[in-house]
Amino acid sequence: MSPIVLVLNGPNLNLLGTREPATYGHETLADISALCGRAAEEFGLTVEFRQTNHEGELLDWIHAARGRCAGIVINPAAWTHTSVAIRDAVTAVALPLWEVHITNVHKREPFRHHSYLSDVAQGVICGYGIRGYCYALMEAARAIGMQS
Ligand code: CA2
């Protein structure tokens, strides 16, 4: 089987496409999942795509990825700006991580400018809408050795 990349999504991202389209666009989380599925096929990866509104559940998924997954792509949503626990979890499992944001967080409120994950991530992609997930998967494939 091709290497597994876990694609994780944090709180409220299940609302995509139903509220605030001026900020987050019209695409739904199901659209992002489908996009990631197509990107995974193209890049020779297996993607496991998940979303939760419960921080502990996200932590459990990160812990369980150790030794099973080749990397993690994450849009931590609001937890980006608040969670030392998620940072500690990704550091503990020692898996390569790519951080994605749909919006350009640096053009938004100052409290969105700091991320607890960016300095432990391989890379950060923000401001490219849902295409950011594809870009992150392409980089993950390259790092894992599935793409030149
Ligand atoms: O730009 C991103 O992807 C964010 O991670 C989205 C988070 C926000 O807290 C980050 O600062 C940037 C918010 C996700 C909430 O998504 C919603 C979708 C539709 C309606 C309301 C919220």
Side-chain angles (χ1 to χ4, degrees):
M1 193 165 83
S2 47
I4 300 171
V5 175
L6 200 52
V7 180
L8 298 177
N9 293 276
N12 299 311
L13 286 165
N14 54 310
L15 299 178
L16 281 173
T18 67
R19 308 259 201 294
E20 300 185 37
T23 304
Y24 295 111
H26 291 279
E27 287 105 341
T28 64
L29 197 66
D31 294 329
I32 301 177
S33 175
L35 187 70
C36 288
R38 289 194 295 273
E41 219 166 284
E42 185 178 341
F43 302 139
L45 301 171
T46 296
V47 157
E48 288 185 11
F49 189 91
R50 300 186 192 159
Q51 187 274 333
T52 182
N53 294 320
H54 304 279
E55 191 173 355
E57 188 170 37
L58 192 84
L59 294 173
D60 290 343
W61 289 343
I62 293 168
H63 296 168
R66 188 174 182 204
R68 197 179 70 83
C69 298
I72 298 174
V73 169
I74 188 168
N75 182 347
W79 293 329
T80 308
H81 319 297
T82 63
S83 182
V84 176
I86 294 173
R87 177 199 175 89
D88 286 348
V90 300
T91 307
V93 298
L95 286 171
L97 179 93
W98 289 268
E99 179 182 346
V100 174
H101 300 284
I102 294 166
T103 62
N104 181 352
V105 286
H106 301 289
K107 277 172 79 173
R108 301 184 64 189
E109 304 95 321
F111 69 83
R112 296 187 202 275
H113 297 178
H114 177 259
S115 164
Y116 279 100
L117 289 180
S118 295
D119 68 313
V120 294
Q122 304 296 306
V124 182
I125 296 152
C126 75
Y128 292 100
I130 71 171
R131 292 195 310 283
Y133 288 79
C134 286
Y135 300 153
L137 285 170
M138 188 171 72
E139 288 303 325
R142 187 193 299 262
I144 293 161
M146 301 305 289
Q147 187 88 347
S148 58

